Amino acid sequence: MAKEDLKMATIEGHLDFDSNSNQVTLHHVVDGQLEVHTTTILNENRDFGFKFPVTTPGFYYIDYGQYNNRLRGQVIRLYLEPGVNVKMSIQEDKYILEGKENGHNQLVQDANNIVNRFREFNRLGARVTYEDFYPFLENEGIKMVQDFKSRIKTKDKDFDALLSLAVQADFESECFFFFRLPRTAHPDKENRPQIYADLKVDGIKFSDENILKLDNGFKWMSGYFDYYRYNTKRDSKVEKIDIINNDLKQISGNTLKEVYVLGMLKYLRLKPEEYKEIITPLYQYLTSEKSKNYVLEYEKQLHKEEGQPGYEFTYKDVNGNPVSFKDFRGKYVYVDVWATWCGPCKQEIPHLKKLEHDYKGKDIVFMSISVDKIKDKQKWKDFVKSEALGGVQIMADKAFESGITKNYEINAIPRFLLFDKEGKIISTDALRPSSSLIRKQFDELLGLEK
């Protein structure tokens, strides 16, 4: 091997099946998530290859199209370091290592086989339930992970520690992810294998920065917090504005905290009022150029529509009378875009009624715009009457093809909009009536702050 090749890592591969793609992507890990390293095109024999310098040994991932959220195909994770020359043949559900310069990748392949076994229970359309998963987890699954971790004993201690951490991250992430997919049978929240109680930590859960060297590092952290936040018995609703601060109590180290905060800001899709409430104490963690640039662009986007004229519409009320947006100049207008078939919309109605009652006589109009289909107009009228809905009740003329839904790109409901007294936009994705911050915002607008 030439001297310069000692600093290089090489992958030579062949696809033994038709992957419906003519390219292969090599991913690396940045801040606990996959990013594209490079992409190559398959030749006429479906061969591919990569050769590049490796300064820091770590995990890389071969993707021929199987890294699809729906497919969740086999994991092909490789540990690359200078001088490694991986030769492989890839089949649809497994891959075969060839050659004698694969480094630690035979052991890594064993780890991949374990996570691939768990993923059989975590694919859309797999048609498995807790009745299938629990017995596997409690018997074969846990033992598989424990036995494998006990035999990670190479002379490379850094590699051993990273692989052991990766196997634990794979295991926990798949355990938590199981409850995020639709199933045909559901256990009670109290009916969970003991391992879920054992994985819960009261103090610091995440402190090893090597988590950020794993493709699922961020997902491991967010999945852990999501599971214990939403899949255990709780008496009160968890507000988005409390989520990050609560989670940070179980993360140590500024680097991990920064990555987690940045990832959660992207994930939570905070509304402007929520963002304003939460961001100030988080600035202390967002110190890198990457974070600062993200926050700068994020804040620009949050307020890009503010002050723009609202879409002018005219729709009919339950009595067939036309009602126009311009009719309410001189008052703030809070709009609920909803439908009678929408469960989450109906859940907001009691909160909306309470707001209407508490702000009666103030300079704010509560308007509900139904996007039910025209053929269901009578159903909408009956619902308005039976539920004694207040405020201004009108129906859009073409359901989701109406002007208001197209103008504000509304493709999911409920959606709330807020306009000032001149009909200009305050927010086209406003706080819901159930939000703990909605009254604070209304009081500030109406000059009612104490």
Side-chain angles (χ1 to χ4, degrees):
M1 183 179 292
K3 186 175 181 180
E4 59 269 19
D5 287 341
L6 294 175
K7 299 178 182 179
M8 308 291 281
T10 304
I11 302 171
E12 300 176 53
H14 173 76
L15 258 64
D16 280 342
F17 68 101
D18 184 2
S19 65
N20 297 318
S21 174
N22 68 341
Q23 68 179 33
V24 175
T25 298
L26 182 69
H27 298 283
H28 63 157
V29 180
V30 177
D31 292 339
Q33 300 186 70
L34 287 184
E35 285 194 7
V36 173
H37 182 278
T38 188
T39 297
T40 189
I41 302 298
L42 294 168
N43 69 12
E44 59 185 15
N45 297 318
R46 301 190 67 73
D47 299 321
F48 67 91
F50 301 98
K51 185 174 183 178
F52 55 95
V54 175
T55 55
T56 303
F59 290 131
Y60 291 75
Y61 300 77
I62 298 291
D63 178 6
Y64 52 82
Q66 86 281 22
Y67 275 85
N68 176 291
N69 287 333
R70 176 177 290 274
L71 294 175
R72 300 195 86 230
Q74 65 171 321
V75 172
I76 304 183
R77 170 174 43 197
L78 302 172
Y79 185 79
L80 300 184
E81 53 190 327
V84 166
N85 180 15
V86 177
K87 294 184 179 180
M88 63 195 314
S89 176
I90 301 175
Q91 299 173 13
E92 194 162 7
D93 57 356
K94 66 179 181 179
Y95 66 96
I96 299 168
L97 291 172
E98 303 162 345
K100 299 180 180 180
E101 298 174 345
N102 289 316
H104 295 304
N105 283 299
Q106 189 63 63
L107 196 58
V108 174
Q109 184 178 32
D110 292 342
N112 296 346
N113 289 337
I114 293 174
V115 68
N116 287 333
R117 182 75 179 89
F118 273 85
R119 285 164 78 108
E120 292 175 12
F121 297 89
N122 283 337
R123 295 190 180 103
L124 281 172
R127 298 191 178 186
V128 295
T129 71
Y130 73 98
E131 295 169 331
D132 307 293
F133 181 60
Y134 284 6
F136 163 78
L137 176 62
E138 294 180 294
N139 298 296
E140 182 184 352
I142 294 174
K143 187 175 187 303
M144 189 186 303
V145 171
Q146 292 173 339
D147 288 351
F148 178 75
K149 289 177 70 175
S150 70
R151 65 182 180 88
I152 303 176
K153 295 178 181 178
T154 73
K155 295 179 181 179
D156 186 341
K157 301 305 178 186
D158 290 339
F159 165 77
D160 289 356
L162 185 61
L163 184 59
S164 181
L165 185 68
V167 172
Q168 189 65 29
D170 293 342
F171 170 61
E172 293 193 26
S173 296
E174 294 301 319
C175 285
F176 301 139
F177 188 73
F178 179 81
F179 295 98
R180 299 189 65 175
L181 293 180
R183 308 284 178 179
T184 57
H186 304 277
D188 294 333
K189 287 188 177 182
E190 292 75 16
N191 178 19
R192 303 284 161 92
Q194 179 60 35
I195 188 64
Y196 285 96
D198 296 340
L199 291 176
K200 191 175 189 303
V201 174
D202 291 330
I204 298 297
K205 169 70 175 179
F206 300 106
S207 60
D208 189 343
E209 289 188 7
N210 282 328
I211 290 169
L212 303 181
K213 297 178 181 179
L214 309 177
D215 70 307
N216 54 3
F218 174 75
K219 288 182 179 178
W220 181 19
M221 292 191 289
S222 61
Y224 170 85
F225 292 121
D226 271 354
Y227 174 80
Y228 291 107
R229 184 181 299 120
Y230 299 118
N231 288 281
T232 55
K233 190 175 182 180
R234 288 181 177 272
D235 296 325
S236 58
K237 178 183 175 182
V238 180
E239 293 281 353
K240 282 199 291 185
I241 61 172
D242 298 323
I243 286 175
I244 296 179
N245 281 329
N246 288 343
D247 294 352
L248 287 177
K249 294 173 184 176
Q250 291 196 270
I251 301 173
S252 102
N254 287 339
T255 302
L256 275 180
K257 287 184 176 180
E258 177 170 23
V259 169
Y260 189 74
V261 168
L262 190 59
M264 289 304 287
L265 286 178
K266 297 175 183 178
Y267 171 72
L268 289 174
R269 299 176 62 190
L270 297 168
K271 302 182 191 307
E273 291 300 310
E274 293 170 328
Y275 182 82
K276 184 171 66 175
E277 189 77 12
I278 197 176
I279 191 59
T280 300
L282 298 181
Y283 282 135
Q284 63 181 305
Y285 305 115
L286 302 170
T287 57
S288 69
E289 285 304 308
K290 179 180 180 180
S291 293
K292 289 178 180 177
N293 289 335
Y294 175 80
V295 168
L296 180 64
E297 291 304 313
Y298 187 85
E299 292 180 354
K300 283 182 183 177
Q301 292 299 313
L302 277 181
H303 303 288
K304 69 177 181 178
E305 293 179 324
E306 275 188 35
Q308 298 298 314
Y311 170 72
E312 294 290 352
F313 57 83
T314 299
Y315 299 126
K316 292 182 178 180
D317 65 14
V318 290
N319 297 314
N321 298 317
V323 176
S324 299
F325 179 53
K326 64 183 179 182
D327 295 341
F328 302 97
R329 294 294 187 268
K331 292 181 181 289
Y332 292 98
V333 180
Y334 183 63
V335 177
D336 171 15
V337 181
W338 71 294
T340 59
W341 48 261
C342 170
C345 300
K346 294 178 183 179
Q347 291 174 10
E348 292 293 330
I349 288 176
H351 302 284
L352 183 59
K353 285 183 174 182
K354 187 70 167 59
L355 283 177
E356 292 170 355
H357 175 271
D358 293 348
Y359 286 90
K360 186 177 181 180
K362 308 300 182 186
D363 285 342
I364 184 166
V365 172
F366 294 89
M367 177 185 293
S368 296
I369 303 178
S370 165
V371 289
D372 283 286
K373 294 181 179 179
I374 292 298
K375 68 181 180 65
D376 294 323
K377 181 181 289 187
Q378 191 57 49
K379 179 182 177 182
W380 163 68
K381 290 182 177 182
D382 292 342
F383 188 91
V384 170
K385 182 178 180 180
S386 65
E387 296 297 320
L389 301 186
V392 178
Q393 298 290 332
I394 56 180
M395 186 176 189
D397 55 354
K398 298 177 183 177
F400 276 97
E401 295 299 313
S402 300
I404 191 167
T405 51
K406 286 189 172 182
N407 187 271
Y408 297 120
E409 298 181 345
I410 299 173
N411 51 32
I413 52 176
R415 176 82 165 268
F416 295 87
L417 318 170
L418 184 60
F419 303 91
D420 68 15
K421 293 183 176 183
E422 296 177 352
K424 294 180 179 179
I425 295 170
I426 295 176
S427 175
T428 59
D429 191 14
L431 295 168
R432 294 188 176 195
S434 58
S435 170
S436 63
L437 295 177
I438 189 74
R439 292 172 185 276
K440 178 180 178 182
Q441 183 182 24
F442 284 0
D443 288 349
E444 289 176 354
L445 291 174
L446 296 167
L448 302 175
E449 312 100 307
K450 294 180 181 178

